[in-house]
Amino acid sequence: QKEVEQNSGPLSVPEGAIASLNCTYSDRGSQSFFWYRQYSGKSPELIMFIYSNGDKEDGRFTAQLNKASQYVSLLIRDSKPSDSATYLCAVNTGFQKLVFGTGTRLLVSP
Amino acid sequence: DGGITQSPKYLFRKEGQNVTLSCEQNLNHDAMYWYRQDPGQGLRLIYYSQIVNDFQKGDIAEGYSVSREKKESFPLTVTSAQKNPTAFYLCASKRREGTDTQYFGPGTRLTVL
């Protein structure tokens, strides 16, 4: 079982819709959770992090964490073509290291 | 202007050669990391360092070596022992205490000819 799992996609949504990206993790002791966006050929850039159960909102982005079910999600409201990218979920399982999922490719069509 | 720099952006290597990838940060971060990314895959940890003159192996350290002589610098050497070195290499850093957030440099794309 992979430590951090994501659906590789692509997830296709029309412009203006809500994109929902999901991530599950295996280590119940995980403390912190991150979403990175990576454009093709570029390095990952941080979108959000979340530490506590519940929702965390930042502009058009909402991260949701459910530790009991071991999943974390990212919602993107009012999706734009510029949101088209690969979204990486990362989990801190301790020891100052992050474990990354393989990413979900999002395509937002005009 | 704070950030993480990696050089070169593109690197071509002949089989059997060692090459060194540079990573420098002026964020005053204590911890630094090297990852490798292959097409369609996530990031895999090669080495990391939490403090000067100390570093630990990650999940795929074989064929790689690092040094951490200065807080700002964490170079990665890809040795001839690394059998499949063609990949996108990413350096990251973070503060040792507090937030776990890692920030990435722009990456080096290594191709073995």
Side-chain angles (χ1 to χ4, degrees):
Chain A
Q1 182 185 8
K2 293 182 180 179
E3 293 186 65
V4 179
E5 294 205 46
Q6 296 181 256
N7 188 318
S8 61
L11 172 66
S12 295
V13 299
E15 185 174 5
I18 296 175
S20 178
L21 304 163
N22 299 312
C23 171
T24 59
Y25 60 95
S26 59
D27 188 339
R28 282 195 171 275
S30 300
Q31 297 295 316
S32 50
F33 308 85
F34 302 82
W35 284 100
Y36 287 85
R37 177 175 62 197
Q38 187 176 25
Y39 292 111
S40 180
K42 302 296 185 182
S43 63
E45 54 181 327
L46 180 72
I47 297 178
M48 293 187 69
F49 61 85
I50 186 167
Y51 292 167
S52 304
N53 273 331
D55 295 359
K56 179 181 178 182
E57 187 174 321
D58 184 0
R60 295 187 297 113
F61 299 96
T62 299
Q64 298 175 319
L65 175 61
N66 184 324
K67 289 187 177 182
S69 300
Q70 295 176 244
Y71 82 78
V72 57
S73 61
L74 179 69
L75 301 178
I76 306 175
R77 291 182 299 281
D78 188 23
S79 295
K80 305 179 186 304
S82 58
D83 294 326
S84 298
T86 297
Y87 289 80
L88 301 172
C89 172
V91 176
N92 185 341
T93 59
F95 308 106
Q96 299 285 318
K97 298 189 293 182
L98 294 182
V99 178
F100 285 82
T102 55
T104 297
R105 186 177 170 211
L106 174 65
L107 297 176
V108 181
S109 55
Chain B
D1 194 20
I4 304 171
T5 58
Q6 291 186 242
S7 62
K9 186 174 181 179
Y10 298 97
L11 184 58
F12 298 90
R13 188 194 95 170
K14 293 182 179 179
E15 286 193 19
Q17 285 183 335
N18 292 356
V19 291
T20 297
L21 283 57
S22 170
C23 178
E24 304 275 336
Q25 54 94 5
N26 61 4
L27 300 168
N28 200 32
H29 286 174
D30 295 285
M32 298 185 73
Y33 303 79
W34 274 106
Y35 294 90
R36 168 185 173 138
Q37 187 176 36
D38 294 281
Q41 297 193 31
L43 279 63
R44 292 185 290 168
L45 183 63
I46 304 173
Y47 268 98
Y48 65 106
S49 168
Q50 296 185 61
I51 196 169
V52 173
N53 292 323
D54 187 45
F55 48 83
Q56 289 77 41
K57 292 183 179 180
D59 301 316
I60 54 165
E62 185 175 352
Y64 301 98
S65 65
V66 294
S67 62
R68 187 84 187 277
E69 298 177 0
K70 298 187 299 182
K71 186 176 183 178
E72 301 78 19
S73 178
F74 191 40
L76 173 74
T77 296
V78 184
T79 75
S80 57
Q82 170 50 237
K83 297 306 179 186
N84 187 21
T86 295
F88 189 39
Y89 289 86
L90 290 157
C91 178
S93 71
K94 79 170 194 70
R95 294 182 310 186
R96 187 178 179 195
E97 303 296 336
T99 176
D100 299 320
T101 303
Q102 294 184 19
Y103 297 93
F104 287 86
T108 292
R109 192 165 298 278
L110 172 63
T111 302
V112 173
L113 302 174

